[in-house]
mmCIF file with all atom_site columns, all heavy atoms in Angstrom:
data_model
loop_
_atom_site.group_PDB
_atom_site.id
_atom_site.type_symbol
_atom_site.label_atom_id
_atom_site.label_alt_id
_atom_site.label_comp_id
_atom_site.label_asym_id
_atom_site.label_entity_id
_atom_site.label_seq_id
_atom_site.pdbx_PDB_ins_code
_atom_site.Cartn_x
_atom_site.Cartn_y
_atom_site.Cartn_z
_atom_site.occupancy
_atom_site.B_iso_or_equiv
_atom_site.pdbx_formal_charge
_atom_site.auth_seq_id
_atom_site.auth_comp_id
_atom_site.auth_asym_id
_atom_site.auth_atom_id
_atom_site.pdbx_PDB_model_num
ATOM 1  N N   . PHE K 1 27 ? 36.530 -9.944  -30.111 1.00 47.00 ? 27 PHE K N   1
ATOM 2  C CA  . PHE K 1 27 ? 35.773 -10.673 -29.087 1.00 47.00 ? 27 PHE K CA  1
ATOM 3  C C   . PHE K 1 27 ? 35.076 -11.863 -29.717 1.00 47.00 ? 27 PHE K C   1
ATOM 4  O O   . PHE K 1 27 ? 34.458 -11.742 -30.770 1.00 47.00 ? 27 PHE K O   1
ATOM 5  C CB  . PHE K 1 27 ? 34.694 -9.792  -28.461 1.00 47.00 ? 27 PHE K CB  1
ATOM 6  C CG  . PHE K 1 27 ? 35.197 -8.852  -27.408 1.00 47.00 ? 27 PHE K CG  1
ATOM 7  C CD1 . PHE K 1 27 ? 34.398 -7.817  -26.979 1.00 47.00 ? 27 PHE K CD1 1
ATOM 8  C CD2 . PHE K 1 27 ? 36.440 -8.997  -26.826 1.00 47.00 ? 27 PHE K CD2 1
ATOM 9  C CE1 . PHE K 1 27 ? 34.829 -6.935  -26.003 1.00 47.00 ? 27 PHE K CE1 1
ATOM 10 C CE2 . PHE K 1 27 ? 36.888 -8.130  -25.857 1.00 47.00 ? 27 PHE K CE2 1
ATOM 11 C CZ  . PHE K 1 27 ? 36.080 -7.099  -25.449 1.00 47.00 ? 27 PHE K CZ  1
ATOM 12 N N   . PRO K 1 28 ? 35.144 -13.025 -29.070 1.00 50.00 ? 28 PRO K N   1
ATOM 13 C CA  . PRO K 1 28 ? 34.319 -14.137 -29.528 1.00 50.00 ? 28 PRO K CA  1
ATOM 14 C C   . PRO K 1 28 ? 32.849 -13.751 -29.386 1.00 50.00 ? 28 PRO K C   1
ATOM 15 O O   . PRO K 1 28 ? 32.494 -12.937 -28.532 1.00 50.00 ? 28 PRO K O   1
ATOM 16 C CB  . PRO K 1 28 ? 34.675 -15.276 -28.562 1.00 50.00 ? 28 PRO K CB  1
ATOM 17 C CG  . PRO K 1 28 ? 35.938 -14.860 -27.898 1.00 50.00 ? 28 PRO K CG  1
ATOM 18 C CD  . PRO K 1 28 ? 35.965 -13.368 -27.926 1.00 50.00 ? 28 PRO K CD  1
ATOM 19 N N   . LEU K 1 29 ? 31.981 -14.318 -30.205 1.00 51.00 ? 29 LEU K N   1
ATOM 20 C CA  . LEU K 1 29 ? 30.571 -13.965 -30.193 1.00 51.00 ? 29 LEU K CA  1
ATOM 21 C C   . LEU K 1 29 ? 29.945 -14.148 -28.820 1.00 51.00 ? 29 LEU K C   1
ATOM 22 O O   . LEU K 1 29 ? 29.178 -13.310 -28.358 1.00 51.00 ? 29 LEU K O   1
ATOM 23 C CB  . LEU K 1 29 ? 29.804 -14.787 -31.240 1.00 51.00 ? 29 LEU K CB  1
ATOM 24 C CG  . LEU K 1 29 ? 28.319 -14.464 -31.369 1.00 51.00 ? 29 LEU K CG  1
ATOM 25 C CD1 . LEU K 1 29 ? 28.129 -12.983 -31.731 1.00 51.00 ? 29 LEU K CD1 1
ATOM 26 C CD2 . LEU K 1 29 ? 27.659 -15.342 -32.393 1.00 51.00 ? 29 LEU K CD2 1
ATOM 27 N N   . HIS K 1 30 ? 30.287 -15.238 -28.107 1.00 54.00 ? 30 HIS K N   1
ATOM 28 C CA  . HIS K 1 30 ? 29.663 -15.466 -26.799 1.00 54.00 ? 30 HIS K CA  1
ATOM 29 C C   . HIS K 1 30 ? 30.051 -14.380 -25.796 1.00 54.00 ? 30 HIS K C   1
ATOM 30 O O   . HIS K 1 30 ? 29.256 -14.007 -24.962 1.00 54.00 ? 30 HIS K O   1
ATOM 31 C CB  . HIS K 1 30 ? 29.994 -16.865 -26.261 1.00 54.00 ? 30 HIS K CB  1
ATOM 32 C CG  . HIS K 1 30 ? 31.419 -17.038 -25.854 1.00 54.00 ? 30 HIS K CG  1
ATOM 33 N ND1 . HIS K 1 30 ? 32.413 -17.336 -26.750 1.00 54.00 ? 30 HIS K ND1 1
ATOM 34 C CD2 . HIS K 1 30 ? 32.020 -16.918 -24.650 1.00 54.00 ? 30 HIS K CD2 1
ATOM 35 C CE1 . HIS K 1 30 ? 33.566 -17.410 -26.123 1.00 54.00 ? 30 HIS K CE1 1
ATOM 36 N NE2 . HIS K 1 30 ? 33.363 -17.161 -24.850 1.00 54.00 ? 30 HIS K NE2 1
ATOM 37 N N   . THR K 1 31 ? 31.258 -13.838 -25.901 1.00 68.00 ? 31 THR K N   1
ATOM 38 C CA  . THR K 1 31 ? 31.660 -12.760 -25.005 1.00 68.00 ? 31 THR K CA  1
ATOM 39 C C   . THR K 1 31 ? 30.881 -11.497 -25.340 1.00 68.00 ? 31 THR K C   1
ATOM 40 O O   . THR K 1 31 ? 30.406 -10.807 -24.454 1.00 68.00 ? 31 THR K O   1
ATOM 41 C CB  . THR K 1 31 ? 33.175 -12.488 -25.131 1.00 68.00 ? 31 THR K CB  1
ATOM 42 O OG1 . THR K 1 31 ? 33.872 -13.704 -24.846 1.00 68.00 ? 31 THR K OG1 1
ATOM 43 C CG2 . THR K 1 31 ? 33.620 -11.412 -24.165 1.00 68.00 ? 31 THR K CG2 1
ATOM 44 N N   . ARG K 1 32 ? 30.724 -11.200 -26.592 1.00 79.00 ? 32 ARG K N   1
ATOM 45 C CA  . ARG K 1 32 ? 29.976 -10.029 -27.025 1.00 79.00 ? 32 ARG K CA  1
ATOM 46 C C   . ARG K 1 32 ? 28.536 -10.100 -26.532 1.00 79.00 ? 32 ARG K C   1
ATOM 47 O O   . ARG K 1 32 ? 27.955 -9.087  -26.152 1.00 79.00 ? 32 ARG K O   1
ATOM 48 C CB  . ARG K 1 32 ? 30.028 -9.946  -28.549 1.00 79.00 ? 32 ARG K CB  1
ATOM 49 C CG  . ARG K 1 32 ? 29.461 -8.681  -29.118 1.00 79.00 ? 32 ARG K CG  1
ATOM 50 C CD  . ARG K 1 32 ? 29.782 -8.614  -30.627 1.00 79.00 ? 32 ARG K CD  1
ATOM 51 N NE  . ARG K 1 32 ? 29.141 -7.477  -31.204 1.00 79.00 ? 32 ARG K NE  1
ATOM 52 C CZ  . ARG K 1 32 ? 27.960 -7.503  -31.793 1.00 79.00 ? 32 ARG K CZ  1
ATOM 53 N NH1 . ARG K 1 32 ? 27.316 -8.640  -31.913 1.00 79.00 ? 32 ARG K NH1 1
ATOM 54 N NH2 . ARG K 1 32 ? 27.431 -6.413  -32.297 1.00 79.00 ? 32 ARG K NH2 1
ATOM 55 N N   . GLN K 1 33 ? 27.938 -11.271 -26.546 1.00 83.00 ? 33 GLN K N   1
ATOM 56 C CA  . GLN K 1 33 ? 26.555 -11.452 -26.104 1.00 83.00 ? 33 GLN K CA  1
ATOM 57 C C   . GLN K 1 33 ? 26.401 -11.207 -24.604 1.00 83.00 ? 33 GLN K C   1
ATOM 58 O O   . GLN K 1 33 ? 25.296 -11.048 -24.108 1.00 83.00 ? 33 GLN K O   1
ATOM 59 C CB  . GLN K 1 33 ? 26.060 -12.863 -26.447 1.00 83.00 ? 33 GLN K CB  1
ATOM 60 C CG  . GLN K 1 33 ? 25.952 -13.146 -27.923 1.00 83.00 ? 33 GLN K CG  1
ATOM 61 C CD  . GLN K 1 33 ? 24.870 -12.333 -28.599 1.00 83.00 ? 33 GLN K CD  1
ATOM 62 O OE1 . GLN K 1 33 ? 23.866 -11.985 -28.000 1.00 83.00 ? 33 GLN K OE1 1
ATOM 63 N NE2 . GLN K 1 33 ? 25.083 -11.993 -29.860 1.00 83.00 ? 33 GLN K NE2 1
ATOM 64 N N   . SER K 1 34 ? 27.499 -11.175 -23.874 1.00 88.00 ? 34 SER K N   1
ATOM 65 C CA  . SER K 1 34 ? 27.468 -10.965 -22.427 1.00 88.00 ? 34 SER K CA  1
ATOM 66 C C   . SER K 1 34 ? 27.270 -9.497  -22.058 1.00 88.00 ? 34 SER K C   1
ATOM 67 O O   . SER K 1 34 ? 26.969 -9.187  -20.915 1.00 88.00 ? 34 SER K O   1
ATOM 68 C CB  . SER K 1 34 ? 28.766 -11.461 -21.786 1.00 88.00 ? 34 SER K CB  1
ATOM 69 O OG  . SER K 1 34 ? 28.963 -12.818 -22.082 1.00 88.00 ? 34 SER K OG  1
ATOM 70 N N   . PHE K 1 35 ? 27.461 -8.598  -23.002 1.00 92.00 ? 35 PHE K N   1
ATOM 71 C CA  . PHE K 1 35 ? 27.371 -7.169  -22.712 1.00 92.00 ? 35 PHE K CA  1
ATOM 72 C C   . PHE K 1 35 ? 25.963 -6.640  -22.936 1.00 92.00 ? 35 PHE K C   1
ATOM 73 O O   . PHE K 1 35 ? 25.268 -7.069  -23.863 1.00 92.00 ? 35 PHE K O   1
ATOM 74 C CB  . PHE K 1 35 ? 28.385 -6.389  -23.561 1.00 92.00 ? 35 PHE K CB  1
ATOM 75 C CG  . PHE K 1 35 ? 29.792 -6.645  -23.117 1.00 92.00 ? 35 PHE K CG  1
ATOM 76 C CD1 . PHE K 1 35 ? 30.528 -7.662  -23.690 1.00 92.00 ? 35 PHE K CD1 1
ATOM 77 C CD2 . PHE K 1 35 ? 30.361 -5.889  -22.109 1.00 92.00 ? 35 PHE K CD2 1
ATOM 78 C CE1 . PHE K 1 35 ? 31.826 -7.930  -23.271 1.00 92.00 ? 35 PHE K CE1 1
ATOM 79 C CE2 . PHE K 1 35 ? 31.652 -6.152  -21.684 1.00 92.00 ? 35 PHE K CE2 1
ATOM 80 C CZ  . PHE K 1 35 ? 32.383 -7.175  -22.262 1.00 92.00 ? 35 PHE K CZ  1
ATOM 81 N N   . VAL K 1 36 ? 25.557 -5.722  -22.070 1.00 94.00 ? 36 VAL K N   1
ATOM 82 C CA  . VAL K 1 36 ? 24.233 -5.101  -22.161 1.00 94.00 ? 36 VAL K CA  1
ATOM 83 C C   . VAL K 1 36 ? 24.363 -3.597  -21.953 1.00 94.00 ? 36 VAL K C   1
ATOM 84 O O   . VAL K 1 36 ? 25.334 -3.122  -21.365 1.00 94.00 ? 36 VAL K O   1
ATOM 85 C CB  . VAL K 1 36 ? 23.255 -5.683  -21.110 1.00 94.00 ? 36 VAL K CB  1
ATOM 86 C CG1 . VAL K 1 36 ? 22.920 -7.132  -21.395 1.00 94.00 ? 36 VAL K CG1 1
ATOM 87 C CG2 . VAL K 1 36 ? 23.795 -5.520  -19.706 1.00 94.00 ? 36 VAL K CG2 1
ATOM 88 N N   . LYS K 1 37 ? 23.381 -2.880  -22.456 1.00 94.00 ? 37 LYS K N   1
ATOM 89 C CA  . LYS K 1 37 ? 23.273 -1.442  -22.190 1.00 94.00 ? 37 LYS K CA  1
ATOM 90 C C   . LYS K 1 37 ? 22.355 -1.284  -20.982 1.00 94.00 ? 37 LYS K C   1
ATOM 91 O O   . LYS K 1 37 ? 21.338 -1.964  -20.880 1.00 94.00 ? 37 LYS K O   1
ATOM 92 C CB  . LYS K 1 37 ? 22.672 -0.722  -23.399 1.00 94.00 ? 37 LYS K CB  1
ATOM 93 C CG  . LYS K 1 37 ? 22.474 0.765   -23.180 1.00 94.00 ? 37 LYS K CG  1
ATOM 94 C CD  . LYS K 1 37 ? 21.863 1.407   -24.416 1.00 94.00 ? 37 LYS K CD  1
ATOM 95 C CE  . LYS K 1 37 ? 21.666 2.892   -24.200 1.00 94.00 ? 37 LYS K CE  1
ATOM 96 N NZ  . LYS K 1 37 ? 21.031 3.515   -25.382 1.00 94.00 ? 37 LYS K NZ  1
#
Side-chain angles (χ1 to χ4, degrees):
F27 280 166
L29 183 59
H30 70 277
T31 303
R32 188 171 175 266
Q33 294 293 330
S34 302
F35 290 91
V36 293
K37 178 181 180 182

